[in-house]
Amino acid sequence: MEVITHFHFLRPEWLLLAPGLLIIERLLRSSRANSDRFSGIIDAELLQHLRVQKPPIARFNPTSVLVVVVLLLTLIMAGPSWQQQPSPLAEDAAPLVVVLDVSESMATTDVAPSRLLRGIQKIRDLLTLVPDKRVGVIAYAGSAHTVLPLTSDHEVTENFLAVMTPGITPRAGKYPEYALSGIDSLLAQTYYRSSVLLVTDGLGAGSSELIQSWCRDRDYQLLIYGFGDPSLTQSTVPLEREALSNLATQCGGQYFDASIDRRDVAAIAGAMTDAYKIIDDEALPWRDNGYPLVFPVLILVLLWFRRGWTRLWIWLLVPCLITLSNAPIAQPNLDAEVPTSLKNQPIISRHGVLQPALDGFLSLWLTPDQYGHVLLQLGYYQKAAEIFENPIWRATARYYHQDFEQAATLYTRQDNDVALFNEANARAHRRDYVGARNRYDVLLDRNPEFPGARANREFIHEIIEASNRLSESQTNEAGVGSETLDEDKDPQIGEGADTLVNEVEERTQYSAEAILASPETAALWMKNVQPDPANFLRSKFNIQLQERGVSEP
């Protein structure tokens, strides 16, 4: 039923070819049947008796086969379709929340360089094994605070993990149960079974009972990662391995000991729940399902070699079976990271000697655009980009190869709505958000109903606004995002002045548009933001503690 609902032709104008060819064939057949060189010389009644009786015409003859070939060719050229091409993008929809113990005991050096630093290193190793997973971070000691909400940007996660130190929270202690409400808040909008990784060396006095009670009402997967030596000879605060292992068992999870190699990280990544979801995209191109009809046509045109079948001149149209349709719309999904496992080179490119010969042979039968179209369908995007002559198809191949800068440039070579939409998507992928929003605006001025354009534009606008708010907040922080006064310097006395004055430099504030539009400004802004994010977190945690108590709601 779904096939009937979505059935349509990608190139319906080719359907007009069939009636014309069939009419021509019918007229040619009639003219041959009516042509009789003896009708004007011999009497019609006598001629009827002089003729040899014709044998019955077989159904399988050049005329009938020609009609079938014409119909099949027309269907192929029209491009029947009832399903969209599968999305090449997928994301792990099962998130991970890292609950990191930053209490004083994590500064113990029985695990070099310290338990906390080693734990952060292990978390970074884990992130490299789950590049598609969204990760949130909660830090706790005597209070619990959300460091980062769920994000797919692991680089940002690693930057914030790098500044975690014992005592960064405003209260001392070790109460992992205070992080439970924060976990629920981070995973409130998640529809897939999530994983919670507790990185610690022990528990609080009543932590085990509270966490077990919490686990019974949740469908989360609890993984506990223990750091430290359980022996009193190595540390005055040994690793509580037995208590942590029992807690993991009671919650239906698993406990892992830190190892000197990466086997522990691989084991955690393997045990972690995942839910790979194909990214749905309404703007994906429709699949051309007419290609399988090429094979029966090829079989039928082989009959051209038979004696008496020379009327099948239509076999010359076979190279046209690989037609060029409209360039597919490239639609991004910015909630997820773009996968990096695409094929960069076709397999045939490994044979340096055979490749030029194969290209030369195929060039005898296919145009460069037809050959590139075949390579694009097979997933050899870089090779297709080298073969295509049409700049829009070359841009599409570059887009699928994730070379978004060149793709955006090539899309500007065609002035239509599809090329403009694809250019905006390519700019969005290369994080030129301001340029992408501008191109979406131009497209919406042209065609306000273009599918996907308005939603993409709003999404990009939200990113720019969020960056703008972050820029303003960083600017207002002392020593972050702007030039600040050095309070240690003495006031300067100007000549002829009777009072002491501070020399105040004018602060320059940049909007998100200015930052994102200029790589140099963005680099300068990041340089100013990055020196000490730990101060920002300490201030944030203190404010949260004063307003909300020992943990976030």
Side-chain angles (χ1 to χ4, degrees):
M1 191 65 183
E2 185 178 355
V3 174
I4 299 176
T5 303
H6 298 290
F7 182 85
H8 66 285
F9 289 100
L10 299 178
R11 300 172 292 275
E13 62 275 8
W14 283 98
L15 295 175
L16 301 175
L17 179 65
L21 291 177
L22 294 177
I23 290 174
I24 293 174
E25 171 61 22
R26 181 64 179 176
L27 293 176
L28 292 175
R29 193 179 352 167
S30 300
S31 63
R32 285 193 297 269
N34 295 331
S35 62
D36 192 342
R37 67 183 65 182
F38 298 105
S39 59
I41 302 175
I42 305 175
D43 183 74
E45 295 183 359
L46 178 59
L47 182 61
Q48 181 179 359
H49 295 284
L50 293 176
R51 283 178 174 158
V52 178
Q53 187 68 27
K54 293 183 178 180
I57 301 175
R59 294 184 178 180
F60 188 74
N61 56 64
T63 299
S64 61
V65 172
L66 179 58
V67 172
V68 173
V69 171
V70 169
L71 294 177
L72 289 177
L73 284 174
T74 304
L75 286 176
I76 295 172
M77 304 292 276
S81 178
W82 56 86
Q83 60 185 159
Q84 288 180 295
Q85 293 184 9
S87 174
L89 307 180
E91 63 177 352
D92 188 352
L96 167 67
V97 176
V98 177
V99 182
L100 182 62
D101 184 355
V102 292
S103 60
E104 294 181 0
S105 64
M106 292 295 286
T108 307
T109 58
D110 54 349
V111 176
S114 70
R115 294 178 181 179
L116 180 57
L117 291 178
R118 188 58 176 162
I120 292 173
Q121 293 171 359
K122 290 289 187 177
I123 295 172
R124 296 176 65 178
D125 292 340
L126 178 63
L127 295 181
T128 62
L129 299 181
V130 288
D132 299 329
K133 191 176 288 290
R134 292 184 299 153
V135 179
V137 179
I138 296 178
Y140 77 90
S143 58
H145 307 272
T146 298
V147 178
L148 275 179
L150 294 177
T151 177
S152 299
D153 193 338
H154 291 181
E155 183 178 354
V156 173
T157 304
E158 293 178 3
N159 289 338
F160 276 91
L161 285 173
V163 300
M164 291 291 103
T165 57
I168 194 172
T169 58
R171 289 187 59 185
K174 187 187 290 286
Y175 308 112
E177 62 270 23
Y178 290 163
L180 301 181
S181 60
I183 296 173
D184 290 336
S185 180
L186 288 181
L187 301 178
Q189 303 298 324
T190 300
Y191 301 99
Y192 296 90
R193 188 165 188 255
S194 308
S195 301
V196 178
L197 179 64
L198 176 60
V199 182
T200 184
D201 58 1
L203 300 171
S207 301
S208 181
E209 292 77 8
L210 293 173
I211 294 177
Q212 289 181 37
S213 176
W214 175 79
C215 287
R216 284 193 290 270
D217 300 330
R218 308 293 190 279
D219 190 30
Y220 306 147
Q221 178 193 30
L222 179 62
L223 305 174
I224 301 180
Y225 202 2
F227 285 83
D229 194 303
S231 174
L232 281 172
T233 60
Q234 298 294 327
S235 171
T236 56
V237 187
L239 168 67
E240 300 175 8
R241 176 184 294 166
E242 184 176 354
L244 294 175
S245 179
N246 290 337
L247 175 60
T249 302
Q250 293 297 324
C251 289
Q254 297 184 55
Y255 171 79
F256 300 89
D257 267 322
S259 64
I260 59 175
D261 53 18
R262 301 188 65 177
R263 287 181 297 178
D264 53 345
V265 176
I268 294 176
M272 202 177 299
T273 58
D274 53 34
Y276 280 96
K277 178 185 69 173
I278 298 298
I279 297 175
D280 191 15
D281 192 345
E282 296 180 356
L284 286 171
W286 289 88
R287 175 179 291 173
D288 192 338
N289 294 299
Y291 287 111
L293 298 177
V294 171
F295 299 102
V297 171
L298 291 176
I299 295 174
L300 291 175
V301 298
L302 289 177
L303 296 173
W304 170 76
F305 294 99
R306 294 190 59 185
R307 183 178 181 182
W309 287 67
T310 54
R311 291 175 60 208
L312 289 183
W313 48 266
I314 204 165
W315 69 276
L316 294 173
L317 295 178
V318 173
C320 296
L321 295 178
I322 307 175
T323 59
L324 297 177
S325 60
N326 291 330
I329 296 177
Q331 171 82 355
N333 185 302
L334 302 176
D335 291 334
E337 292 290 323
V338 180
T340 58
S341 58
L342 297 176
K343 297 179 181 178
N344 295 330
Q345 291 284 351
I347 296 176
I348 53 178
S349 66
R350 300 174 185 172
H351 307 286
V353 178
L354 297 179
Q355 180 61 42
L358 181 59
D359 289 341
F361 176 77
L362 292 175
S363 66
L364 298 176
W365 311 98
L366 304 175
T367 67
D369 286 339
Q370 290 171 345
Y371 184 21
H373 186 71
V374 173
L375 293 173
L376 186 66
Q377 294 293 331
L378 294 176
Y380 302 136
Y381 305 127
Q382 182 175 358
K383 182 65 177 179
E386 297 172 357
I387 294 296
F388 275 124
E389 290 182 346
N390 187 305
I392 301 305
W393 274 109
R394 194 160 68 249
T396 301
R398 291 292 183 191
Y399 185 97
Y400 284 124
H401 187 55
Q402 302 183 47
D403 190 354
F404 300 116
E405 182 174 2
Q406 291 194 29
T409 302
L410 290 170
Y411 277 128
T412 60
R413 300 186 183 184
Q414 188 174 61
D415 187 15
N416 59 33
D417 293 348
V418 173
L420 190 58
F421 182 68
N422 288 348
E423 180 194 349
N425 293 340
R427 290 182 181 275
H429 270 294
R430 64 184 294 258
R431 299 187 179 183
D432 179 12
Y433 300 127
V434 176
R437 186 180 65 177
N438 293 338
R439 303 311 287 166
Y440 286 129
D441 288 338
V442 174
L443 174 59
L444 291 173
D445 289 340
R446 283 189 186 180
N447 185 358
E449 303 301 326
F450 193 91
R454 190 170 300 278
N456 286 1
R457 194 268 180 197
E458 294 301 323
F459 187 85
I460 296 299
H461 181 70
E462 291 178 4
I463 294 178
I464 294 175
E465 290 297 316
S467 300
N468 197 19
R469 290 192 295 270
L470 178 61
S471 176
E472 292 177 357
S473 65
Q474 297 288 357
T475 301
N476 293 332
E477 290 287 339
V480 179
S482 65
E483 295 291 332
T484 59
L485 296 176
D486 189 347
E487 298 179 355
D488 295 333
K489 289 185 178 181
D490 295 330
Q492 301 295 321
I493 301 177
E495 291 187 27
D498 297 329
T499 59
L500 300 177
V501 294
N502 282 323
E503 294 184 355
V504 181
E505 294 184 5
E506 182 180 357
R507 296 183 179 181
T508 303
Q509 296 187 4
Y510 296 95
S511 64
E513 289 82 354
I515 293 174
L516 297 175
S518 172
E520 294 77 10
T521 305
L524 179 61
W525 180 72
M526 288 301 297
K527 182 179 180 181
N528 289 331
V529 169
Q530 290 176 354
D532 193 7
N535 289 334
F536 167 74
L537 291 178
R538 287 192 183 93
S539 301
K540 173 184 173 181
F541 293 165
N542 275 299
I543 293 173
Q544 290 176 347
L545 181 64
Q546 295 172 8
E547 295 179 352
R548 304 170 183 173
V550 294
S551 66
E552 293 184 271

